[in-house]
Amino acid sequence: MSELVMDSAFFGHVLQDMGALIEKERDYLTGLDSDIGDGDHGINLSIGFREVNKQLDELLAVSPDIATLLKKSGMILLGKVGGASGPLYGSFFMKCGADVPGKTEVNFDELCGMIINGAAAVQHRGKAELGDKTMMDAFLPGVEVLQNRDANADPIETFSAFVDAMHAGAQSTIPLIAKKGRALRLGERAIGHLDPGSESSWMLMNVILENLKKAV
């Protein structure tokens, strides 16, 4: 079993770094969405994470545990982010802490469970399956890695494999016809374009990986 432990401050850093990532990649993600969607994915995520980071010090101060911190952050995203991104990412963060109420520290196995729960909430909300050209094309292969992880394996290697699987899943959306969302209306014209939600999802999970590397 891993001795790696993540506390509320760790998740605070993750949220802060996610906000920085979205600011850096805002135009890129918006460009992807301009090809097959409403052209606002990066912009909307930027608005949401800016608000999370604006309130982050207060959130850390008033949240008695990790679950509350993530739930409150998810509620901000749900309320501030337009389009499909708000409900989906809001649901992800709100559900992440469902199994760790009252905890101010979690171990690696608990972190994996949190992400699995968050991804399940996204799927429940969006009703998407593998191959629908959505963020689930990234999340589902990644979740499979976490579900089948070796308990004795190095946590960084396991989480790297998770992120790699998500990245590959995002790339797999390029030749797909969309079956959900705005891209659905494009039919075959969506072929050749990367799904913006799948791209942002693996990038955000990579932020967790980078913070895990610092925690070792």
Side-chain angles (χ1 to χ4, degrees):
M1 293 292 291
S2 167
E3 294 300 320
L4 192 60
V5 174
M6 286 67 67
D7 59 10
S8 294
F10 171 89
F11 289 99
H13 288 306
V14 165
L15 290 167
Q16 190 172 45
D17 290 350
M18 284 180 171
L21 168 77
I22 293 301
E23 288 302 309
K24 179 182 176 182
E25 304 294 347
R26 180 186 62 186
D27 292 345
Y28 167 64
L29 294 171
T30 294
L32 292 179
D33 198 34
S34 295
D35 292 332
I36 60 173
D38 291 335
D40 58 4
H41 188 63
I43 294 170
N44 284 340
L45 287 179
S46 173
I47 292 170
F49 277 99
R50 280 183 187 178
E51 188 63 28
V52 170
N53 278 284
K54 180 181 177 181
Q55 299 186 36
L56 188 54
D57 287 343
E58 182 182 354
L59 290 173
L60 285 166
V62 302
S63 298
D65 54 23
I66 292 167
T68 303
L69 172 65
L70 295 179
K71 182 177 181 179
K72 287 180 178 293
S73 298
M75 290 174 68
I76 291 172
L77 293 175
L78 190 62
K80 287 287 183 178
V81 182
S85 302
L88 294 176
Y89 278 122
S91 296
F92 176 85
F93 286 103
M94 290 170 70
K95 189 65 173 178
C96 269
D99 289 347
V100 291
K103 293 204 169 192
T104 56
E105 293 183 342
V106 296
N107 61 30
F108 183 69
D109 282 340
E110 289 170 325
L111 175 66
C112 291
M114 291 166 68
I115 292 172
I116 291 168
N117 284 344
V122 173
Q123 186 171 30
H124 178 76
R125 188 88 184 222
K127 311 299 183 188
E129 301 292 340
L130 195 67
D132 284 351
K133 202 179 181 89
T134 72
M135 64 174 66
M136 295 316 300
D137 288 301
F139 266 122
L140 290 175
V143 162
E144 186 174 356
V145 170
L146 295 184
Q147 289 174 328
N148 296 320
R149 68 188 182 279
D150 181 348
N152 297 313
D154 177 70
I156 301 301
E157 290 182 5
T158 297
F159 211 85
S160 295
F162 159 67
V163 172
D164 287 346
M166 287 194 67
H167 188 193
Q171 291 294 309
S172 77
T173 66
I174 294 174
L176 297 177
I177 295 175
K179 298 178 183 177
K180 293 284 183 180
R182 292 289 186 181
L184 175 63
R185 71 189 189 281
L186 296 178
E188 292 187 356
R189 287 180 293 162
I191 294 175
H193 295 287
L194 181 62
D195 175 68
S198 67
E199 186 76 346
S200 65
S201 61
W202 85 261
M203 294 170 79
L204 288 171
M205 295 302 101
N206 190 57
V207 170
I208 300 177
L209 173 61
E210 293 304 315
N211 276 274
L212 285 174
K213 290 177 180 177
K214 297 175 187 176
V216 173

